[in-house]
Every structure is written in structure tokens, then in C-alpha cells.
């Protein structure tokens, strides 16, 4: 834990005690509620509002994205999920984005929203994260617009350590095939105030308003730091100009994402309404950006595993470098093979000679994780090797800081202070050691205790 903006809690008193020795003192020399009596110079400090200071604590966040190709979470997927979630390197928070959790057919796109598949995914995720605890996890988010962990969990270190290591579902949202699931370690909710959990979806697919493409986003606050997680599925296509449709959808998601306002805890933690209003933002999903490259050239660089050279042709990299729709955003160094498009035989589709029935697709890094904001460090950026769909899952682990702001008014009373400490003819004129005794020691002790 670090202390930023460290200041003495009694600034006026601190400065006063450091003044050069004088023969007399007046009330104007001592401010902020310090009262000096002319007869015996007793000191009384009442209702001082201490200067605010900020404590920062580390939070480790796992962010993952996976296009599952319309397949339900069945069979041996639990093994693949455990490999993707990297349980051995456990994080404090898991933010998982999925695309195509249902087939993108007419009925699923324009029909009524069905949460059955999302529930199945949450059950599997919960079992995987909490497999050591041997019980069924709830698939109902613990936090919503009217509940916060400030009320649900006392801020103390007590409790069963195993329970503190459990993960609880705090937010979940599905829009057709785009799905986001956010899990927090119980210990985080015990130690910190987790509040203002909001969700928002933006459909920008067919005709600009159907949910076959678009985003689902979660907004939340942990103490004094706001987070936004945006899971997206953007327009497909590798023809010239298709990247323009993706850029347009990104701009629409920025423009149309809006989180509802709440009055709960609003005084202490004002909550942002838009994506860019947050302190820490993560954007991830099947963003579908392709390569400005001939198919045979791309495959040649893939065989050489020359990822740096191949990334020179990457459309999303161009957007990041040239200040496009993701101006100011960051992405980690890509040191893994393109994640799309695979055949059932675990090879890239197309190429020469082309197999019957295979789509001709140039491999590309469609599945990406970006971030925006200060105080974020990426520790890992990698892909997993599940053969569950034609995409390979991607994950990143981040270390970030949460800010704990203290600005409380406290009552401090220092009474019956010996007059020898303050009388101009005694104590304060007898050298530095006497001047700094007692009162100054309290100040130093307070600062060191921050």
C-alpha cells in the first residue's frame, strides 16, 4: 500500500510550531480552529477537518474474450475453460466476454431474449472458479443498482479464509450472442466498498439496431475508482472498406452507451454515465479487425512466427497508431498466432490447396483486449488452445490500483497542556528539542501512521 499526497493532518499547527522563536503570539498566527488563551496559552483543537489523502491498493484483473461459435457449454468444455481462466495464477476479478453463445440465426436475433444459455455459462464458470469449494454457485448477480458490498460485507479481515477466496457473480448481461460475466473474490467485497454496478447494451448490427453485433458493458466502482468493461462483437468481413463499418460501430458504442444514475452513495462516489468517464476502461471481444495483406504473404509470416512483421499489416494496430476510433488506447505486445479462423482439424481455413467446403479466410487477430486510463499494467497477454470453436480464446491479466480516499472530519481535543510548552518565556524558547516535544511528536506519529 502506498500513500499519495501525504500531508500533515494539522497543517496550521505544524507550521506554527516551526516558526522562529518570538516573544508573543497572536490569534492570527494560529488558524483552523486553534484557540489560544491569553492568560496561560492553553491549546484546544476542536473539529479539525484533516486534509484528504489517498491510499492505493493493488487489484489483479483477468480479462478474457472468446467467440464460441454458437455452441452450448457442454461436454469436456470445463477442461478448456480451466486452461483459459489460468486458475493457478488466480486474479481478484474475472471479467469474461463471449460472442456467439447462440447461433446468429434470424429467430435468435429478432426473437425474445432467452437467458437460458447465459445461465448455463455462468454455472460452468462458477464451478470452474470455485471447484475447490465443492458447492453450487449462485448464477444471480449479488450486486445490482440498489445493493452494494458496502452494506453486504463488513469491512474487516475476519471470516473463513476459504470463503474469502471464493468468487461471486456480481454482474452479467446478454444481448443475443454477446455476453459478459463479472466475478469478484469475496475478500475484495469484504475489504472494499463495491458499488454502483450497472449494465448497458448497444445493438448496432443489421440496420444499425439489431443485436447480432454490438456490445454489452458493465460499470462499477471499487472504493474511489470507477471501472468500465466493454465486451463487443463488431462487423465481420475482410474486403476493403469493411474496417470502416467496424470503426462506425465502435463510434456508435461510445455514443450510445449510457449508465443510469443512482443517488445511492452518489455523494461519496459520483458515478460516470459514459464509457470514457471512467478511471479504468477495458474493451475486449471479437473486434474482427483483419490484415491488410495478401493471404499467401500472411501465411508465410505465420509459418515463420514473425508476429512483429505480421502486425505491421494489422488494421487495429493502424487505428491505435494513427489516432482512429481508439485514440489513446493501449494494447499489449502480441506474441501469439492469429486466433481466427480455424477448421475442425485445427488448421487455418483456406489456403492452397483449398479443401472442399472451407471458407477462404486470411488468418487474423480478431480477438483482442484493449485498455484505457492511468494506473494499469498488463502482466500477461496470451491465447489458449481450445478447439471448441473456430476462434481461439484470448486472455490478459492486469495489475491496477484502486484509490481509497479519506477526507473525514474528526474531533481531536488536546486539553490541559502544560503552560510551560507554550508560554513565550518557557518551553518553546528553550531550543528545538523542547519545541518539538509532545505536540510535534503527535503530528509525526500521525503522519507515519497513514
Amino acid at each position: 500500500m502506498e500513500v499519495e499526497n501525504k500531508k500533515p493532518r494539522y497543517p496550521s499547527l505544524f507550521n506554527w510550531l516551526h516558526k522562529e522563536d518570538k516573544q508573543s503570539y497572536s490569534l492570527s498566527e494560529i488558524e483552523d480552529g486553534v484557540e489560544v488563551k491569553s492568560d496561560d496559552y492553553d491549546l484546544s483543537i476542536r473539529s479539525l477537518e484533516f486534509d484528504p489523502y489517498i491510499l492505493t491498493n493493488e487489484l489483479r484483473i483477468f480479462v478474457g474474450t472468446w467467440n464460441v461459435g454458437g455452441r452450448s457449454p457442454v461436454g469436456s468444455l470445463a477442461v478448456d475453460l480451466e486452461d483459459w481462466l489460468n486458475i493457478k495464477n488466480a486474479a481478484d476479478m474475472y471479467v469474461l466476454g463471449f460472442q456467439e453463445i447462440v447461433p446468429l440465426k434470424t429467430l435468435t436475433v429478432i426473437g425474445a431474449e432467452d437467458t437460458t444459455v447465459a445461465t448455463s455459462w455462468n454455472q460452468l464458470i462458477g464451478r470452474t472458479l470455485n471447484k475447490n469449494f465443492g458447492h453450487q454457485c449462485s448464477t444471480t448477480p449479488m450486486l445490482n443498482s440498489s445493493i452494494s458490498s458496502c452494506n453486504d460485507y463488513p469491512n474487516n479481515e475476519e471470516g473463513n479464509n476459504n470463503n474469502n477466496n471464493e468468487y461471486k457473480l456480481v454482474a452479467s448481461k446478454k444481448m443475443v450472442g454477446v455476453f459478459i460475466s463479472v466475478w469478484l473474490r469475496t475478500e475484495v467485497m469484504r475489504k472494499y466498498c463495491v458499488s454502483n454496478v450497472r449494465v448497458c447494451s448497444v445493438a448496432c448490427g443489421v440496420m444499425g439496431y439489431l443485436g447480432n453485433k454490438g456490445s454489452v458493458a458493465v460499470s462499477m466502482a471499487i472504493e474511489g475508482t470507477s471501472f468500465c468493461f466493454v465486451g463487443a462483437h463488431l462487423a465481420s468481413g475482410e474486403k476493403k472498406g469493411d474496417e470502416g463499418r467496424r470503426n462506425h460501430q465502435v463510434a456508435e458504442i461510445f455514443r450510445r452507451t449510457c449508465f443510469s444514475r443512482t443517488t445511492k452513495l452518489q455523494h461519496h462516489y459520483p458515478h460516470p454515465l459514459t464509457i470514457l468517464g471512467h478511471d479504468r476502461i477495458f474493451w475486449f471481444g471479437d473486434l474482427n479487425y483483419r490484415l491488410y495483406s495478401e493471404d499467401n504473404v500472411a501465411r508465410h509470416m505465420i509459418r515463420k512466427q514473425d508476429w512483429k512483421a505480421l502486425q505491421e499489416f494489422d488494421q487495429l494496430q493502424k487505428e491505435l497508431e494513427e489516432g482512429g476510433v481508439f485514440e489513446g488506447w493501449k494494447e499489449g505486445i502480441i506474441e501469439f498466432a492469429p486466433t481466427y479462423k480455424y477448421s475442425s482439424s485445427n488448421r487455418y481455413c483456406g489456403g492452397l490447396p483449398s479443401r472442399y467446403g472451407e471458407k477462404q479466410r486470411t488468418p487474423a487477430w480478431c480477438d483482442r483486449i484493449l485498455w484505457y486510463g492511468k494506473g494499469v499494467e498488463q502482466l500477461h497477454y496470451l491465447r489458449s488452445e481450445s478447439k471448441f470453436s473456430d476462434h481461439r480464446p484470448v486472455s490478459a491479466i492486469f495489475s491496477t490500483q484502486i484509490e481509497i480516499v479519506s477526507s473525514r472530519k474528526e474531533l481531536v481535543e488536546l486539553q490541559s497542556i502544560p503552560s510551560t510548552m507554550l508560554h513565550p518565556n518557557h518551553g518553546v524558547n528553550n531550543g528545538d528539542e523542547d519545541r518539538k516535544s509532545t505536540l510535534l511528536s503527535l503530528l509525526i506519529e500521525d503522519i507515519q501512521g497513514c
Side-chain angles (χ1 to χ4, degrees):
M1 178 181 293
E2 300 176 354
V3 180
E4 298 179 0
N5 197 25
K6 185 185 292 183
K7 299 179 181 179
R9 287 191 171 187
Y10 317 100
S12 300
L13 179 60
F14 190 92
N15 294 333
W16 176 67
L17 286 171
H18 281 77
K19 287 180 178 290
E20 293 296 327
D21 293 343
K22 297 182 179 179
Q23 295 302 313
S24 63
Y25 297 86
S26 66
L27 185 61
S28 62
E29 292 182 280
I30 307 174
E31 303 171 354
D32 295 339
V34 179
E35 180 182 348
V36 180
K37 297 180 180 180
S38 59
D39 53 351
D40 58 4
Y41 292 87
D42 282 352
L43 179 65
S44 177
I45 307 174
R46 300 177 184 274
S47 299
L48 285 177
E49 185 170 359
F50 300 151
D51 286 345
Y53 59 91
I54 298 175
L55 307 178
T56 60
N57 273 7
E58 182 190 25
L59 191 75
R60 290 170 68 92
I61 303 176
F62 177 103
V63 178
T65 178
W66 194 0
N67 185 321
V68 294
R71 299 186 61 186
S72 299
V74 294
S76 61
L77 183 59
V79 177
D80 294 354
L81 195 66
E82 184 172 348
D83 176 67
W84 178 45
L85 298 184
N86 194 15
I87 303 301
K88 294 180 180 179
N89 192 14
D92 299 304
M93 177 188 295
Y94 281 84
V95 183
L96 309 179
F98 296 85
Q99 305 82 45
E100 296 189 45
I101 65 169
V102 296
L104 299 183
K105 299 177 180 179
T106 303
L107 184 60
T108 57
V109 173
I110 65 175
E113 192 70 74
D114 183 0
T115 60
T116 304
V117 176
T119 300
S120 297
W121 275 105
N122 279 333
Q123 288 174 342
L124 180 58
I125 295 167
R127 287 198 300 269
T128 304
L129 290 176
N130 296 307
K131 68 173 187 176
N132 295 328
F133 302 105
H135 61 267
Q136 183 66 37
C137 294
S138 172
T139 57
T140 301
M142 293 189 63
L143 305 181
N144 56 41
S145 59
S146 61
I147 302 175
S148 81
S149 71
C150 309
N151 300 324
D152 293 343
Y153 292 92
N155 189 5
N156 58 53
E157 304 297 330
E158 298 177 0
N160 186 284
N161 288 334
N162 287 333
N163 290 338
N164 286 344
N165 289 326
E166 285 184 287
Y167 293 91
K168 301 293 184 182
L169 179 65
V170 296
S172 179
K173 178 66 176 177
K174 172 185 179 293
M175 182 190 70
V176 187
V178 189
F179 173 58
I180 191 170
S181 184
V182 180
W183 298 72
L184 263 177
R185 194 193 299 270
T186 304
E187 182 184 17
V188 174
M189 292 188 282
R190 290 187 183 277
K191 289 175 62 177
Y192 308 117
C193 179
V194 182
S195 63
N196 289 318
V197 179
R198 298 284 185 276
V199 295
C200 178
S201 59
V202 173
C204 52
V206 178
M207 298 183 292
Y209 283 94
L210 291 187
N212 59 308
K213 294 294 188 290
S215 67
V216 288
V218 171
S219 171
M220 63 191 301
I222 302 179
E223 291 289 335
T225 303
S226 58
F227 291 85
C228 186
F229 304 99
V230 183
H233 191 187
L234 304 181
S236 61
E238 59 182 20
K239 299 189 302 295
K240 183 177 181 180
D242 285 340
E243 70 277 14
R245 294 193 298 133
R246 292 185 272 275
N247 292 343
H248 175 72
Q249 289 178 348
V250 171
E252 283 293 287
I253 291 170
F254 276 122
R255 184 178 70 86
R256 291 162 52 191
T257 299
C258 183
F259 301 101
S260 59
R261 188 183 296 277
T262 176
T263 57
K264 188 175 182 65
L265 298 175
Q266 195 73 14
H267 175 70
H268 296 287
Y269 307 117
H271 195 68
L273 304 180
T274 63
I275 292 174
L276 292 176
H278 292 76
D279 299 314
R280 318 275 190 266
I281 313 168
F282 301 86
W283 187 303
F284 47 95
D286 180 1
L287 307 188
N288 254 322
Y289 285 96
R290 307 302 174 91
L291 299 175
Y292 294 116
S293 170
E294 296 294 333
D295 182 78
N296 61 329
V297 174
R299 292 175 188 269
H300 174 70
M301 284 186 274
I302 291 171
R303 286 192 292 270
K304 291 175 58 180
Q305 298 187 9
D306 192 347
W307 313 133
K308 184 176 181 180
L310 185 62
Q311 201 171 3
E312 293 294 320
F313 299 94
D314 180 67
Q315 293 177 351
L316 181 55
Q317 184 63 31
K318 294 294 183 184
E319 291 294 322
L320 294 170
E321 291 175 353
E322 297 175 5
V325 290
F326 284 111
E327 181 178 3
W329 289 68
K330 297 179 181 179
E331 182 183 25
I333 299 174
I334 297 177
E335 296 180 326
F336 51 83
T339 55
Y340 174 85
K341 172 179 173 63
Y342 282 90
S343 68
S344 57
S345 58
N346 196 32
R347 54 179 291 275
Y348 290 115
C349 290
L352 296 174
S354 179
R355 298 190 179 187
Y356 178 77
E358 281 189 355
K359 293 182 178 180
Q360 186 70 31
R361 294 286 186 270
T362 300
W365 288 294
C366 291
D367 310 278
R368 311 289 278 270
I369 300 171
L370 312 177
W371 77 90
Y372 186 90
K374 298 179 180 179
V376 177
E377 178 187 2
Q378 188 180 71
L379 306 178
H380 302 286
Y381 192 26
L382 48 87
R383 73 173 221 172
S384 299
E385 300 304 322
S386 170
K387 302 177 182 64
F388 187 71
S389 77
D390 56 353
H391 289 251
R392 295 297 177 260
V394 173
S395 63
I397 297 179
F398 297 92
S399 172
T400 187
Q401 301 293 324
I402 56 173
E403 296 180 348
I404 306 169
V405 182
S406 176
S407 182
R408 299 184 301 273
K409 180 176 288 188
E410 303 178 21
L411 181 65
V412 178
E413 293 193 4
L414 300 176
Q415 295 179 324
S416 302
I417 298 176
S419 58
T420 55
M421 287 188 58
L422 299 173
H423 198 281
N425 296 324
H426 302 85
V428 293
N429 288 326
N430 289 338
D432 288 342
E433 291 302 318
D434 288 337
R435 294 173 62 192
K436 295 179 181 179
S437 64
T438 309
L439 277 177
L440 191 54
S441 66
L442 290 175
L443 294 172
I444 297 172
E445 186 175 271
D446 179 76
I447 295 170
Q448 292 176 341
C450 291

